[in-house]
Amino acid sequence: MNILAIESSCDDTSAAVLTDEGVKSNIIASQSIHVKFGGVVPELASRAHQKTISQTVEQALEEASVSMEEIDLIAVTQGPGLMGSLLVGLCFAKGVSLSRNIPIVGVNHMDAHIYANFIDETPEFPFVCLTVSGGHTQLVLVKAPFEHEILGQTRDDAAGEAFDKIGKILGLPYPAGPHMDRLSGKGDPGFHKFPQALRNEGLDFSFSGLKTSALYFLQDKSEEWKKNNLNDLSASISEAITGVLIKKLKKAVLQTGVKSIAIAGGVSANSMLRSKAEQLALEMGLTLHIPHITYCTDNAAMIAITGKMKAELGQFDDLSMKPFASL
Ligand code: KG4
Ligand code: ZN
């Protein structure tokens, strides 16, 4: 089966081709327009998707050496995401489906982050997945394909959002997560102890207090001081975020008794989180799955693999499918 997948839920226009041999192409056109605003501007995002979607799909087909005639299935992100952004990908996918008479399947973006783990590996069910992105932070018990139980989630900001907003206070460009990751490698995580909210309570998360705490801690510091201590500050913030994420992941494992864990979403690209997850797996004798770094942040390959899994279960959609911003 040859699958063409399209992802446009936020600020990355992505198209991928997945064949029986694996991922043949995964083109990601990231929108630089938002950098000067320090965050994603929804209207600009949808306009940028419109501009780039045709060429992104063409590039994906070309790189995969697969023609549109050879495509058997279109997989597309249905939600969650920005309505205007979702509409562009969905309308494009429906157009191709209608004009070429190709079956279509809508994919939940958060499911796709989880199933990105199935691109290169075959995790065994059940497993607990820590899904951490710019919009979501969830602990999910994945019992069987598409049989999920959300064990805990953030009550306010997402982990990626915390990286981005605190990074912005530190003067780092959007998205600040990858910059803080790079800087924290040269810093001391024990430089300052930032709070880890709800650390000993349940499986929910809260990151808005961390943002406020960082704001208060930094408000009377000079720009020069911040600059001189940027590595240590990045490491200390990363420690607070990843510390609580791993603590709750461990708690979820103890609660469910699973033997296998996974991490997924943009923040799963974070080196401190990856190494803490490796340590946890070692300590508890668990099998750990982490997607290849290119499949952590938003990409269409994860939409393709999820579409494939849905199609194998006979779960197709039709042209009446609508975008669902809060799916
Ligand atoms: O999954 P994703 O690409 O988009 C959403 O679905 O939200 O995640 C984007 C988020 C951003 O907040 C970004 O700063 C964060 O993932 N991120 C990272 C790293 N790479 C991306 N955060 C920390 N360390 C990283 N290496
Ligand atoms: Zn995402």
Side-chain angles (χ1 to χ4, degrees):
M1 182 158 56
N2 296 331
I3 303 170
L4 170 66
I6 294 167
E7 151 66 32
S8 72
S9 64
C10 191
D11 59 341
D12 296 300
T13 318
S14 182
V17 173
L18 176 74
T19 72
D20 295 332
E21 290 167 14
V23 176
K24 289 295 180 185
S25 63
N26 184 36
I27 309 297
I28 303 166
S30 297
Q31 303 174 356
S32 54
I33 182 125
H34 308 287
V35 175
K36 64 178 175 223
F37 299 101
V40 178
V41 183
E43 179 57 31
L44 296 180
S46 56
R47 281 191 227 165
H49 283 306
Q50 280 180 321
K51 260 195 199 154
T52 47
I53 193 150
S54 295
Q55 69 204 54
T56 308
V57 168
E58 273 169 24
Q59 209 180 327
L61 290 167
E62 198 179 308
E63 197 177 297
S65 300
V66 172
S67 69
M68 196 65 100
E69 287 71 34
E70 294 170 295
I71 294 294
D72 305 303
L73 178 72
I74 309 220
V76 61
T77 306
Q78 190 181 5
L82 301 170
M83 184 50 98
S85 292
L86 289 167
L87 264 170
V88 177
L90 199 61
C91 289
F92 190 95
K94 282 187 191 177
V96 178
S97 166
L98 178 66
S99 63
R100 305 269 175 166
N101 202 20
I102 305 171
I104 188 166
V105 59
V107 168
N108 177 316
H109 180 92
M110 296 311 293
D111 286 356
H113 273 306
I114 296 175
Y115 294 109
N117 279 292
F118 288 72
I119 294 175
D120 295 320
E121 293 179 342
T122 315
E124 275 183 28
F125 297 94
F127 63 91
V128 168
C129 185
L130 171 69
T131 317
V132 266
S133 70
H136 294 79
T137 300
Q138 295 180 330
L139 275 166
V140 183
L141 174 60
V142 187
K143 299 174 186 171
F146 307 103
E147 217 182 287
H148 304 163
E149 184 187 335
I150 296 177
L151 303 169
Q153 57 190 326
T154 185
R155 295 184 186 171
D156 39 57
D157 291 353
E161 200 177 349
F163 271 114
D164 295 340
K165 286 181 174 168
I166 298 169
K168 192 174 175 181
I169 301 171
L170 290 171
L172 297 170
Y174 176 84
H179 297 285
M180 290 189 74
D181 188 0
R182 184 175 40 82
L183 297 168
S184 66
K186 297 175 270 178
D188 172 15
F191 173 72
H192 181 77
K193 205 168 185 302
F194 285 102
Q196 298 188 7
L198 306 177
R199 191 177 156 90
N200 297 313
E201 289 163 51
L203 291 175
D204 277 350
F205 302 91
S206 168
F207 292 105
S208 65
L210 173 62
K211 183 182 61 192
T212 313
S213 156
L215 197 63
Y216 284 153
F217 179 70
L218 295 167
Q219 68 183 356
D220 57 352
K221 308 283 191 295
S222 68
E223 286 309 311
E224 198 190 352
W225 186 91
K226 281 194 240 172
K227 216 170 139 194
N228 289 341
N229 294 286
L230 199 52
N231 295 343
D232 291 338
L233 286 166
S234 297
S236 301
I237 293 292
S238 303
E239 175 62 34
I241 296 174
T242 59
V244 76
L245 289 173
I246 291 298
K247 169 92 199 255
K248 302 264 171 160
L249 176 58
K250 180 175 181 175
K251 210 167 169 185
V253 170
L254 292 171
Q255 194 172 302
T256 55
V258 294
K259 296 273 170 283
S260 183
I261 54 172
I263 60 173
V267 181
S268 67
N270 184 269
S271 20
M272 196 183 276
L273 183 68
R274 289 167 94 97
S275 78
K276 280 194 164 92
E278 277 159 18
Q279 273 168 27
L280 178 71
L282 206 65
E283 175 194 317
M284 299 183 82
L286 305 166
T287 308
L288 168 68
H289 300 281
I290 310 181
H292 185 277
I293 205 113
T294 43
Y295 304 135
C296 288
T297 43
D298 289 351
N299 68 90
M302 69 182 193
I303 305 300
I305 190 84
T306 314
K308 181 182 179 186
M309 291 171 76
K310 284 188 84 172
E312 282 168 357
L313 294 170
Q315 296 177 10
F316 293 95
D317 288 283
D318 59 37
L319 298 177
S320 66
M321 175 179 32
K322 290 185 175 56
F324 199 169
S326 61
L327 186 64

